[in-house]
Amino acid sequence: MKQLVRSLTTASAGVALAVALMAAPVQAAGVTDEDILNDQATTGDVVSYGLGPQGQRYSPLDKINTETVKELRPLWAFSFGGEKQRGQESQPLVKDGVMYVTASYSRLYAIDTKTGEELWEYEARLPDGIMPCCDVVNRGAALYGDKVYFGTLDAKLVALDAKTGKTVWRKELGDYKAGYSFTSAPMIVKGKVITGVSGGEFGVVGKVEARDAETGELIWSRPVIEGHMGTLNGKDSTVTGTTNATWEGDMWQYGGGATWNGGTYDPATNLIYYGTGNPAPWNSHLRPGDNLYSSSTLALDPDTGEIKWHLQTTPHDGWDFDGVNEFVAFDMEKDGKVVKAGAKADRNGFFFVADRETGKPLSVTPFVSKITWAEGWDLKTNRPIVIPEGRPGNPVQAAAQPAAAGTTAPEQHAGAVFSCPSFLGGKNWMPMGYSPDTKLFYVPANEWCMDIWNEPVTYKKGAAYLGAGFTIKPLHEDYIGALRAIDPTTGEIVWEYKNKAPVWGGVLSTAGNLVFFGTPEGFIKAFDAKTGEEVWKFQTGSGVVSSPVTWEEDGEQYLAVVSGWGGAVPLWGGEVAKAVKYLNQGGMVWVFKLPKSA
């Protein structure tokens, strides 16, 4: 593929001011740390993934509300074009009349927010042989200073001039030939670009890294599997954990734990929260022990990369329950006290509320209807109450382990179990949101299970490192996906919206008492945030598997969402994938606003 950069000619400062008064966009003029920290409160832009570093995905805008939303209508639509459609999971950013939005196959566009006119496009030059596990998606960019940053499928981090789209610097995050890739949105913390990596299914070791936003030079690197050495300012720093404490032999050297879904940052605790993926291989009988720090949430010092605490949500994971789901900071009122808390809806089916200063769980409750791997969580020992027969069997003992009752796995897959949720999770990558108005979390969930069995496997660079087989199945006849409003003080599901197809996109809540959310059937929908009543919908023409945003411009409130079906479900969904094969691909940005009369 070729690299393509098209740009508008910039004007002098005086001319730019005049142009701004004429309502043409003045391209991003210096995003600061303060801008990012205040992103949720400043309604004229969206300069960070999650509408603020805490990732609450809430806006105080209320011009679009339960009364006016029925008048919401499209202003413009922009096509990513070409044949490179596939899954579109991006969250747009908006600054000074310019939208920055990424697309499949490592592309980034700058678009005039008023007209939908393309200002410039960057298309990464991807080599042959890239190995993204779960579609050619990209979830978003980051803005800082006069630059825009995003990652590519060959595991590169690129910094572009926000005005022109020209490359400023480009750094390697990992060897794509070994299985490394990058799909999440970078995060800016205190002048540093924070990134993770994808590739856990190939045995690569997950890591979180910080680079100087101006130069791209590496400041610190923290591998997340015990036994690996971290670095700080170009020198070895500390070993992660204690070598062989929870991993036997040399399995930790290819231990997985990919940090593929990005992180959040809480300025109140000065901690970065990053989720880690499944241990490698999936066959847990090959790696006895808890396998730290896989399937966990880590709290990291943003200045040094040192791990301050960890919460392992699935010790000795044998079901591919990546712990990468976002940890969202919020202040919780309970028993007359305000607790600095954080919440996480884990792939393993449990909703965690924890003290975000220490990582100690305060409550752990199911948010899906069926969990077969654990009975619950013991808050005293801080461990799940695991159901032994819920773990797929050891293939070495296959002859003595017939497939468990309830599975439809072929006889040769001895040791197979019927397991809920499936490895695609009670919640996968799609970000939840929190409203400080309703004090509820809005969680995109899926109800599906799987037949899963283990197989022998050995590590080989650049080859799949699973050691397991599976078939995903829907749990209920009438729905798979659900949007659930959860009270974090009790774990109670206050309301839910059920969707026939699996849901795969993020949410947005607003002070207009609305929750916006897209479906694979192509709709962007709005719900009453308190009751769950559907109050508006619009058909975009392709599945919505992205995260909507809202902002204010010239006194008017805008809404934007990316449309384009894809992601992991069509690739890994088994029987579920067959059930939704009729869904059309696409690649569009849709922007909406109220007419003046409303």
Side-chain angles (χ1 to χ4, degrees):
M1 287 183 267
K2 65 179 182 178
Q3 177 174 310
L4 176 63
V5 178
R6 297 196 295 273
S7 62
L8 297 181
T9 303
T10 57
S12 66
V15 174
L17 179 59
V19 171
L21 294 174
M22 296 168 60
V26 180
Q27 300 216 14
V31 175
T32 66
D33 291 296
E34 184 178 8
D35 292 335
I36 294 169
L37 293 177
N38 294 330
D39 197 20
Q40 181 169 291
T42 54
T43 57
D45 55 31
V46 179
V47 297
S48 64
Y49 188 76
L51 284 77
Q54 296 94 336
Q56 292 186 356
R57 298 188 174 272
Y58 168 84
S59 171
L61 287 171
D62 61 2
K63 287 186 172 65
I64 302 172
N65 53 55
T66 51
E67 296 298 321
T68 62
V69 69
K70 61 182 179 294
E71 300 294 336
L72 192 62
R73 56 199 64 181
L75 176 65
W76 54 260
F78 176 88
S79 173
F80 296 139
E83 298 176 357
K84 300 171 185 175
Q85 296 184 9
R86 301 285 289 271
Q88 310 294 346
E89 296 182 354
S90 178
Q91 179 218 288
L93 301 176
V94 175
K95 175 66 174 172
D96 293 335
V98 179
M99 176 183 290
Y100 300 91
V101 59
T102 61
S104 57
Y105 289 101
S106 305
R107 293 172 290 166
L108 192 150
Y109 297 84
I111 306 169
D112 185 318
T113 57
K114 289 290 186 64
T115 66
E117 178 187 0
E118 180 183 303
L119 305 179
W120 54 257
E121 174 189 353
Y122 176 93
E123 183 177 326
R125 187 188 298 272
L126 295 173
D128 295 331
I130 57 172
M131 294 182 285
C133 104
C134 308
D135 206 356
V136 289
V137 301
N138 189 286
R139 298 188 178 96
L143 292 172
Y144 190 67
D146 58 357
K147 299 177 184 64
V148 54
Y149 308 84
F150 87 118
T152 65
L153 290 167
D154 59 341
K156 302 295 191 297
L157 179 64
V158 183
L160 306 174
D161 185 297
K163 293 181 180 179
T164 66
K166 293 182 179 179
T167 304
V168 179
W169 52 256
R170 188 168 176 262
K171 301 294 182 180
E172 183 175 289
L173 301 176
D175 179 6
Y176 76 89
K177 293 180 181 179
Y180 282 97
S181 59
F182 189 83
T183 55
S184 63
M187 180 171 58
I188 305 294
V189 178
K190 300 166 72 172
K192 306 177 187 71
V193 187
I194 311 297
T195 57
V197 289
S198 301
E201 271 59 60
F202 298 95
V204 307
V205 173
K207 56 185 176 179
V208 183
E209 294 184 325
R211 284 176 167 78
D212 184 286
E214 185 64 27
T215 66
E217 293 306 307
L218 185 65
I219 298 173
W220 55 257
S221 178
R222 173 51 55 194
V224 300
I225 298 298
E226 73 176 26
H228 293 270
M229 177 66 71
T231 66
L232 177 63
N233 297 323
K235 299 179 180 179
D236 289 348
S237 56
T238 58
V239 174
T240 300
T242 303
T243 306
N244 289 137
T246 65
W247 290 81
E248 288 190 1
D250 63 356
M251 297 296 292
W252 58 273
Q253 294 184 28
Y254 315 106
T259 47
W260 58 265
N261 202 30
T264 58
Y265 171 69
D266 175 37
T269 58
N270 191 33
L271 290 174
I272 291 170
Y273 304 111
Y274 235 95
T276 67
N278 59 282
W282 288 17
N283 183 346
S284 60
H285 298 279
L286 294 176
R287 43 172 174 77
D290 281 355
N291 309 133
L292 291 172
Y293 292 100
S294 66
S295 300
S296 302
T297 292
L298 305 181
L300 303 168
D301 185 323
D303 299 314
T304 65
E306 294 297 320
I307 298 173
K308 295 300 182 180
W309 58 255
H310 77 276
L311 171 59
Q312 189 174 41
T313 46
T314 313
H316 195 213
D317 182 2
W319 306 268
D320 187 36
F321 289 150
D322 294 34
V324 296
N325 304 81
E326 67 284 357
F327 186 79
V328 178
F330 73 110
D331 292 335
M332 181 175 69
E333 297 177 14
K334 190 171 184 179
D335 301 327
K337 298 180 180 179
V338 177
V339 181
K340 290 182 180 178
K344 173 185 183 179
D346 200 274
R347 266 171 68 162
N348 67 20
F350 288 104
F351 185 81
F352 290 79
V353 177
D355 184 316
R356 68 178 189 262
E357 294 183 297
T358 65
K360 180 181 179 180
L362 303 173
S363 65
V364 183
T365 52
F367 68 94
V368 294
S369 62
K370 189 176 182 65
I371 298 175
T372 62
W373 72 276
E375 295 178 5
W377 192 274
D378 188 332
L379 291 175
K380 292 182 180 179
T381 62
N382 194 20
R383 296 184 67 85
I385 305 168
V386 175
I387 301 171
E389 56 268 27
R391 183 180 296 274
N394 188 342
V396 175
Q397 303 167 346
Q401 291 182 324
T407 70
T408 56
E411 291 183 3
Q412 65 266 30
H413 299 314
V417 297
F418 181 69
S419 183
C420 304
S422 79
F423 75 88
L424 288 176
K427 187 177 89 67
N428 200 275
W429 80 274
M430 52 278 196
M432 65 183 183
Y434 173 75
S435 169
D437 300 327
T438 64
K439 295 181 171 52
L440 298 176
F441 277 90
Y442 301 98
V443 180
N446 285 303
E447 298 278 0
W448 42 21
C449 302
M450 62 181 171
D451 290 337
I452 182 171
W453 56 90
N454 284 324
E455 300 168 344
V457 68
T458 55
Y459 174 79
K460 181 180 179 181
K461 180 180 176 180
Y465 189 44
L466 298 186
F470 47 82
T471 301
I472 293 181
K473 303 176 178 181
L475 181 60
H476 305 291
E477 291 185 1
D478 57 333
Y479 78 102
I480 298 173
L483 176 62
R484 292 183 167 134
I486 298 178
D487 182 342
T489 65
T490 64
E492 176 192 0
I493 297 174
V494 177
W495 60 258
E496 68 177 352
Y497 160 79
K498 296 178 180 179
N499 196 72
K500 180 69 175 175
V503 297
W504 208 251
V507 304
L508 167 72
S509 68
T510 74
N513 190 36
L514 293 172
V515 176
F516 290 96
F517 169 73
T519 72
E521 293 90 342
F523 288 102
I524 175 69
K525 296 189 173 188
F527 301 88
D528 184 302
K530 295 176 183 176
T531 68
E533 178 189 0
E534 184 180 312
V535 293
W536 174 84
K537 66 179 180 180
F538 178 86
Q539 174 58 249
T540 67
S542 183
V544 177
V545 293
S546 62
S547 302
V549 296
T550 189
W551 73 98
E552 191 173 35
E553 202 167 326
D554 296 334
E556 296 184 284
Q557 185 179 351
Y558 291 71
L559 174 78
V561 70
V562 176
S563 169
W565 170 240
V569 176
L571 299 175
W572 294 77
E575 293 181 16
V576 172
K578 295 177 184 177
V580 294
K581 65 181 180 180
Y582 67 92
L583 297 173
N584 293 322
Q585 288 190 322
M588 301 277 286
V589 186
W590 287 89
V591 171
F592 306 84
K593 78 177 184 70
L594 297 173
K596 295 271 188 179
S597 59

